[in-house]
Amino acid sequence: MERLKRRQDFVAAARALYAAMPGMVVQMRARGDDAPPRVGFTATKKIGNAVVRNRVKRKLRELARLQLATEARPGHDYVLIGRAPTFERAFPDLGKDLSAALKRLHRTAHLSADKGTP
């Protein structure tokens, strides 16, 4: 799965649909092509120091490797944003959060094009 690296891709995803879960926020943007899905990761300074942010991003990368490979749709960008509870939350619970967020986003992606929690 390709990674999002440019700021403009993250900004575009921030204007798209999102789902806030207890362990993370998932943003999804339909690019309108048939290219493979791309994923990006964010952890702000609000959640802790560099050690905490790196651990959170490591958890999110592993979740993406395990779950997004099968559940992501072609032509979409996904951004996983770490929250403060992500650090303490158990890995299986984070997996459930990601699955629930993806189901919610995919279900409502075709219903509305405006931003908001579906």
Side-chain angles (χ1 to χ4, degrees):
M1 182 171 283
E2 291 184 38
R3 295 275 305 272
L4 293 176
K5 295 181 182 175
R6 297 183 320 184
R7 183 179 188 278
Q8 70 184 26
D9 292 332
F10 282 92
V11 171
R15 284 188 252 121
L17 292 173
Y18 70 93
M21 304 305 287
M24 72 185 75
V25 176
V26 181
Q27 298 172 339
M28 182 188 77
R29 177 179 80 103
R31 292 189 313 264
D33 59 15
D34 290 331
R38 301 184 303 177
V39 64
F41 307 96
T42 303
T44 65
K45 286 188 176 182
K46 285 192 245 180
I47 64 171
N49 62 13
V51 173
V52 172
R53 292 193 310 268
N54 286 332
R55 285 186 183 178
V56 165
K57 285 191 284 188
R58 229 178 291 143
K59 277 186 171 185
L60 295 177
R61 277 194 300 267
E62 184 64 13
L63 276 173
R65 185 183 70 80
L66 294 174
Q67 287 188 310
L68 275 182
T70 59
E71 296 181 29
R73 293 184 178 173
H76 287 75
D77 290 341
Y78 299 90
V79 177
L80 305 180
I81 303 173
R83 298 177 126 186
T86 307
F87 184 68
E88 293 95 16
R89 201 154 168 86
F91 196 77
D93 293 336
L94 287 174
K96 290 176 188 174
D97 289 346
L98 180 60
S99 292
L102 290 175
K103 285 178 188 173
R104 184 185 304 172
L105 290 170
H106 290 156
R107 181 177 64 237
T108 60
H110 65 283
L111 297 178
S112 67
D114 61 340
K115 182 178 176 172
T117 302

